[in-house]
mmCIF file of all heavy atoms in Angstrom:
data_model
loop_
_atom_site.group_PDB
_atom_site.id
_atom_site.type_symbol
_atom_site.label_atom_id
_atom_site.label_comp_id
_atom_site.label_asym_id
_atom_site.label_seq_id
_atom_site.Cartn_x
_atom_site.Cartn_y
_atom_site.Cartn_z
ATOM 1 N N MET Z 1 19.185 16.665 1.005
ATOM 2 C CA MET Z 1 18.613 17.173 2.253
ATOM 3 C C MET Z 1 19.352 18.437 2.706
ATOM 4 O O MET Z 1 20.426 18.768 2.206
ATOM 5 C CB MET Z 1 18.696 16.107 3.347
ATOM 6 C CG MET Z 1 18.005 14.795 3.002
ATOM 7 S SD MET Z 1 16.218 14.958 2.832
ATOM 8 C CE MET Z 1 16.022 14.840 1.051
ATOM 9 N N SER Z 2 18.775 19.138 3.674
ATOM 10 C CA SER Z 2 19.377 20.388 4.154
ATOM 11 C C SER Z 2 20.732 20.160 4.819
ATOM 12 O O SER Z 2 21.560 21.067 4.872
ATOM 13 C CB SER Z 2 18.425 21.081 5.134
ATOM 14 O OG SER Z 2 18.134 20.228 6.237
ATOM 15 N N ASP Z 3 20.975 18.935 5.341
ATOM 16 C CA ASP Z 3 22.258 18.643 5.988
ATOM 17 C C ASP Z 3 23.300 18.105 5.007
ATOM 18 O O ASP Z 3 24.393 17.703 5.408
ATOM 19 C CB ASP Z 3 22.063 17.666 7.150
ATOM 20 C CG ASP Z 3 21.497 16.317 6.708
ATOM 21 O OD1 ASP Z 3 21.296 16.124 5.486
ATOM 22 O OD2 ASP Z 3 21.244 15.464 7.573
ATOM 23 N N GLY Z 4 22.954 18.076 3.722
ATOM 24 C CA GLY Z 4 23.903 17.634 2.708
ATOM 25 C C GLY Z 4 23.783 16.179 2.319
ATOM 26 O O GLY Z 4 24.351 15.757 1.305
ATOM 27 N N ARG Z 5 23.066 15.384 3.095
ATOM 28 C CA ARG Z 5 22.883 13.983 2.724
ATOM 29 C C ARG Z 5 21.991 13.886 1.490
ATOM 30 O O ARG Z 5 21.135 14.739 1.267
ATOM 31 C CB ARG Z 5 22.263 13.194 3.876
ATOM 32 C CG ARG Z 5 23.197 13.021 5.079
ATOM 33 C CD ARG Z 5 22.542 12.184 6.149
ATOM 34 N NE ARG Z 5 21.308 12.814 6.648
ATOM 35 C CZ ARG Z 5 20.410 12.198 7.405
ATOM 36 N NH1 ARG Z 5 20.583 10.934 7.746
ATOM 37 N NH2 ARG Z 5 19.336 12.858 7.824
ATOM 38 N N CYS Z 6 22.210 12.840 0.699
ATOM 39 C CA CYS Z 6 21.447 12.725 -0.534
ATOM 40 C C CYS Z 6 21.217 11.264 -0.887
ATOM 41 O O CYS Z 6 21.912 10.362 -0.397
ATOM 42 C CB CYS Z 6 22.156 13.447 -1.674
ATOM 43 S SG CYS Z 6 23.856 12.928 -1.951
ATOM 44 N N ALA Z 7 20.234 11.043 -1.739
ATOM 45 C CA ALA Z 7 19.924 9.705 -2.225
ATOM 46 C C ALA Z 7 19.265 9.819 -3.587
ATOM 47 O O ALA Z 7 18.575 10.801 -3.875
ATOM 48 C CB ALA Z 7 19.012 8.963 -1.250
ATOM 49 N N GLU Z 8 19.472 8.802 -4.409
ATOM 50 C CA GLU Z 8 18.868 8.787 -5.735
ATOM 51 C C GLU Z 8 17.382 8.475 -5.630
ATOM 52 O O GLU Z 8 16.963 7.593 -4.870
ATOM 53 C CB GLU Z 8 19.554 7.737 -6.605
ATOM 54 C CG GLU Z 8 19.050 7.722 -8.046
ATOM 55 C CD GLU Z 8 19.651 6.590 -8.847
ATOM 56 O OE1 GLU Z 8 19.330 5.420 -8.560
ATOM 57 O OE2 GLU Z 8 20.438 6.870 -9.763
ATOM 58 N N VAL Z 9 16.580 9.192 -6.412
ATOM 59 C CA VAL Z 9 15.139 8.930 -6.447
ATOM 60 C C VAL Z 9 14.682 8.450 -7.825
ATOM 61 O O VAL Z 9 13.556 7.977 -7.974
ATOM 62 C CB VAL Z 9 14.332 10.184 -6.040
ATOM 63 C CG1 VAL Z 9 14.609 10.542 -4.594
ATOM 64 C CG2 VAL Z 9 14.642 11.367 -6.953
ATOM 65 N N GLY Z 10 15.535 8.580 -8.835
ATOM 66 C CA GLY Z 10 15.172 8.134 -10.168
ATOM 67 C C GLY Z 10 16.387 8.060 -11.069
ATOM 68 O O GLY Z 10 17.430 8.664 -10.779
ATOM 69 N N THR Z 11 16.259 7.305 -12.165
ATOM 70 C CA THR Z 11 17.341 7.138 -13.132
ATOM 71 C C THR Z 11 16.801 7.411 -14.526
ATOM 72 O O THR Z 11 15.709 6.962 -14.872
ATOM 73 C CB THR Z 11 17.910 5.708 -13.079
ATOM 74 O OG1 THR Z 11 18.282 5.389 -11.742
ATOM 75 C CG2 THR Z 11 19.130 5.576 -13.965
ATOM 76 N N VAL Z 12 17.571 8.141 -15.328
ATOM 77 C CA VAL Z 12 17.140 8.497 -16.678
ATOM 78 C C VAL Z 12 18.194 8.032 -17.680
ATOM 79 O O VAL Z 12 19.381 8.310 -17.507
ATOM 80 C CB VAL Z 12 16.936 10.018 -16.818
ATOM 81 C CG1 VAL Z 12 16.450 10.357 -18.221
ATOM 82 C CG2 VAL Z 12 15.953 10.535 -15.771
ATOM 83 N N GLY Z 13 17.732 7.327 -18.695
ATOM 84 C CA GLY Z 13 18.620 6.896 -19.768
ATOM 85 C C GLY Z 13 18.089 7.368 -21.108
ATOM 86 O O GLY Z 13 17.440 8.411 -21.206
ATOM 87 N N THR Z 14 18.295 6.557 -22.134
ATOM 88 C CA THR Z 14 17.879 6.950 -23.478
ATOM 89 C C THR Z 14 16.367 6.991 -23.631
ATOM 90 O O THR Z 14 15.853 7.546 -24.608
ATOM 91 C CB THR Z 14 18.457 5.985 -24.526
ATOM 92 O OG1 THR Z 14 18.030 4.640 -24.219
ATOM 93 C CG2 THR Z 14 19.975 6.030 -24.513
ATOM 94 N N GLU Z 15 15.647 6.398 -22.676
ATOM 95 C CA GLU Z 15 14.184 6.410 -22.762
ATOM 96 C C GLU Z 15 13.569 7.721 -22.281
ATOM 97 O O GLU Z 15 12.377 7.966 -22.487
ATOM 98 C CB GLU Z 15 13.611 5.257 -21.913
ATOM 99 C CG GLU Z 15 13.501 5.533 -20.412
ATOM 100 C CD GLU Z 15 14.831 5.770 -19.693
ATOM 101 O OE1 GLU Z 15 15.865 5.259 -20.148
ATOM 102 O OE2 GLU Z 15 14.820 6.458 -18.665
ATOM 103 N N GLY Z 16 14.381 8.579 -21.640
ATOM 104 C CA GLY Z 16 13.789 9.698 -20.928
ATOM 105 C C GLY Z 16 14.315 11.074 -21.285
ATOM 106 O O GLY Z 16 14.974 11.280 -22.304
ATOM 107 N N VAL Z 17 14.003 12.019 -20.409
ATOM 108 C CA VAL Z 17 14.367 13.420 -20.616
ATOM 109 C C VAL Z 17 14.573 14.079 -19.268
ATOM 110 O O VAL Z 17 13.866 13.777 -18.304
ATOM 111 C CB VAL Z 17 13.280 14.161 -21.429
ATOM 112 C CG1 VAL Z 17 11.913 14.023 -20.782
ATOM 113 C CG2 VAL Z 17 13.622 15.619 -21.621
ATOM 114 N N ILE Z 18 15.557 14.961 -19.195
ATOM 115 C CA ILE Z 18 15.817 15.745 -17.999
ATOM 116 C C ILE Z 18 15.125 17.097 -18.146
ATOM 117 O O ILE Z 18 15.339 17.804 -19.131
ATOM 118 C CB ILE Z 18 17.331 15.973 -17.790
ATOM 119 C CG1 ILE Z 18 18.091 14.641 -17.843
ATOM 120 C CG2 ILE Z 18 17.579 16.691 -16.483
ATOM 121 C CD1 ILE Z 18 17.672 13.643 -16.823
ATOM 122 N N GLY Z 19 14.293 17.444 -17.168
ATOM 123 C CA GLY Z 19 13.586 18.718 -17.203
ATOM 124 C C GLY Z 19 12.122 18.579 -17.539
ATOM 125 O O GLY Z 19 11.432 19.575 -17.769
ATOM 126 N N VAL Z 20 11.613 17.345 -17.546
ATOM 127 C CA VAL Z 20 10.216 17.092 -17.913
ATOM 128 C C VAL Z 20 9.244 17.758 -16.941
ATOM 129 O O VAL Z 20 8.063 17.952 -17.258
ATOM 130 C CB VAL Z 20 9.946 15.570 -17.986
ATOM 131 C CG1 VAL Z 20 9.938 14.955 -16.603
ATOM 132 C CG2 VAL Z 20 8.644 15.277 -18.722
ATOM 133 N N HIS Z 21 9.726 18.178 -15.773
ATOM 134 C CA HIS Z 21 8.868 18.814 -14.764
ATOM 135 C C HIS Z 21 8.190 20.076 -15.287
ATOM 136 O O HIS Z 21 7.140 20.481 -14.772
ATOM 137 C CB HIS Z 21 9.697 19.152 -13.512
ATOM 138 C CG HIS Z 21 10.503 17.997 -12.999
ATOM 139 N ND1 HIS Z 21 11.737 17.669 -13.527
ATOM 140 C CD2 HIS Z 21 10.261 17.093 -12.021
ATOM 141 C CE1 HIS Z 21 12.211 16.613 -12.894
ATOM 142 N NE2 HIS Z 21 11.348 16.236 -11.973
ATOM 143 N N VAL Z 22 8.786 20.716 -16.304
ATOM 144 C CA VAL Z 22 8.179 21.951 -16.831
ATOM 145 C C VAL Z 22 6.800 21.685 -17.434
ATOM 146 O O VAL Z 22 5.989 22.609 -17.569
ATOM 147 C CB VAL Z 22 9.085 22.635 -17.881
ATOM 148 C CG1 VAL Z 22 10.391 23.082 -17.266
ATOM 149 C CG2 VAL Z 22 9.322 21.722 -19.080
ATOM 150 N N MET Z 23 6.527 20.422 -17.785
ATOM 151 C CA MET Z 23 5.213 20.081 -18.329
ATOM 152 C C MET Z 23 4.094 20.420 -17.360
ATOM 153 O O MET Z 23 2.954 20.655 -17.753
ATOM 154 C CB MET Z 23 5.151 18.587 -18.659
ATOM 155 C CG MET Z 23 5.926 18.172 -19.885
ATOM 156 S SD MET Z 23 5.155 18.693 -21.433
ATOM 157 C CE MET Z 23 3.621 17.799 -21.376
ATOM 158 N N TYR Z 24 4.419 20.435 -16.066
ATOM 159 C CA TYR Z 24 3.386 20.595 -15.042
ATOM 160 C C TYR Z 24 3.581 21.868 -14.226
ATOM 161 O O TYR Z 24 3.158 21.954 -13.082
ATOM 162 C CB TYR Z 24 3.381 19.352 -14.140
ATOM 163 C CG TYR Z 24 3.228 18.106 -14.967
ATOM 164 C CD1 TYR Z 24 4.338 17.325 -15.294
ATOM 165 C CD2 TYR Z 24 1.996 17.742 -15.490
ATOM 166 C CE1 TYR Z 24 4.207 16.210 -16.099
ATOM 167 C CE2 TYR Z 24 1.864 16.625 -16.296
ATOM 168 C CZ TYR Z 24 2.962 15.860 -16.597
ATOM 169 O OH TYR Z 24 2.844 14.765 -17.404
ATOM 170 N N GLY Z 25 4.235 22.851 -14.828
ATOM 171 C CA GLY Z 25 4.335 24.160 -14.205
ATOM 172 C C GLY Z 25 5.503 24.367 -13.272
ATOM 173 O O GLY Z 25 5.576 25.403 -12.607
ATOM 174 N N PHE Z 26 6.442 23.411 -13.196
ATOM 175 C CA PHE Z 26 7.606 23.575 -12.330
ATOM 176 C C PHE Z 26 8.693 24.333 -13.088
ATOM 177 O O PHE Z 26 9.230 23.833 -14.081
ATOM 178 C CB PHE Z 26 8.148 22.225 -11.858
ATOM 179 C CG PHE Z 26 7.284 21.557 -10.830
ATOM 180 C CD1 PHE Z 26 6.328 20.626 -11.204
ATOM 181 C CD2 PHE Z 26 7.401 21.888 -9.496
ATOM 182 C CE1 PHE Z 26 5.518 20.014 -10.279
ATOM 183 C CE2 PHE Z 26 6.600 21.281 -8.555
ATOM 184 C CZ PHE Z 26 5.650 20.343 -8.934
ATOM 185 N N ALA Z 27 9.035 25.516 -12.614
ATOM 186 C CA ALA Z 27 10.037 26.335 -13.298
ATOM 187 C C ALA Z 27 11.449 26.012 -12.848
ATOM 188 O O ALA Z 27 12.418 26.434 -13.475
ATOM 189 C CB ALA Z 27 9.753 27.817 -13.065
ATOM 190 N N VAL Z 28 11.593 25.278 -11.729
ATOM 191 C CA VAL Z 28 12.914 24.931 -11.208
ATOM 192 C C VAL Z 28 13.001 23.426 -11.012
ATOM 193 O O VAL Z 28 11.984 22.736 -10.886
ATOM 194 C CB VAL Z 28 13.200 25.654 -9.866
ATOM 195 C CG1 VAL Z 28 13.163 27.162 -10.045
ATOM 196 C CG2 VAL Z 28 12.216 25.225 -8.789
ATOM 197 N N MET Z 29 14.222 22.920 -10.981
ATOM 198 C CA MET Z 29 14.436 21.484 -10.773
ATOM 199 C C MET Z 29 14.203 21.134 -9.307
ATOM 200 O O MET Z 29 14.788 21.760 -8.412
ATOM 201 C CB MET Z 29 15.853 21.094 -11.171
ATOM 202 C CG MET Z 29 16.030 20.890 -12.663
ATOM 203 S SD MET Z 29 15.122 19.454 -13.309
ATOM 204 C CE MET Z 29 16.028 18.097 -12.574
ATOM 205 N N PRO Z 30 13.374 20.126 -9.029
ATOM 206 C CA PRO Z 30 13.125 19.726 -7.646
ATOM 207 C C PRO Z 30 14.220 18.839 -7.073
ATOM 208 O O PRO Z 30 14.185 18.473 -5.900
ATOM 209 C CB PRO Z 30 11.800 18.959 -7.749
ATOM 210 C CG PRO Z 30 11.840 18.372 -9.124
ATOM 211 C CD PRO Z 30 12.549 19.381 -9.983
ATOM 212 N N CYS Z 31 15.206 18.478 -7.905
ATOM 213 C CA CYS Z 31 16.296 17.602 -7.469
ATOM 214 C C CYS Z 31 17.513 17.884 -8.332
ATOM 215 O O CYS Z 31 17.453 18.687 -9.264
ATOM 216 C CB CYS Z 31 15.882 16.133 -7.597
ATOM 217 S SG CYS Z 31 15.402 15.682 -9.285
ATOM 218 N N GLU Z 32 18.629 17.246 -7.993
ATOM 219 C CA GLU Z 32 19.823 17.373 -8.827
ATOM 220 C C GLU Z 32 19.766 16.362 -9.966
ATOM 221 O O GLU Z 32 19.208 15.268 -9.810
ATOM 222 C CB GLU Z 32 21.089 17.152 -7.997
ATOM 223 C CG GLU Z 32 21.365 18.269 -7.007
ATOM 224 C CD GLU Z 32 22.726 18.163 -6.352
ATOM 225 O OE1 GLU Z 32 23.345 17.083 -6.422
ATOM 226 O OE2 GLU Z 32 23.167 19.168 -5.758
#
């Protein structure tokens, strides 16, 4: 958040990939 607070929205392990958002036209990461 803009005030620095944060929370997890998803977890990625061996089943997944980081950066999959590019599949749908997102050029930047929407989260950390």
Side-chain angles (χ1 to χ4, degrees):
M1 302 295 106
S2 59
D3 61 2
R5 291 182 299 167
C6 55
E8 184 185 68
V9 295
T11 306
V12 182
T14 57
E15 81 296 333
V17 55
I18 308 300
V20 72
H21 309 83
V22 297
M23 286 287 297
Y24 306 100
F26 287 94
V28 300
M29 279 293 291
C31 58
E32 291 189 344

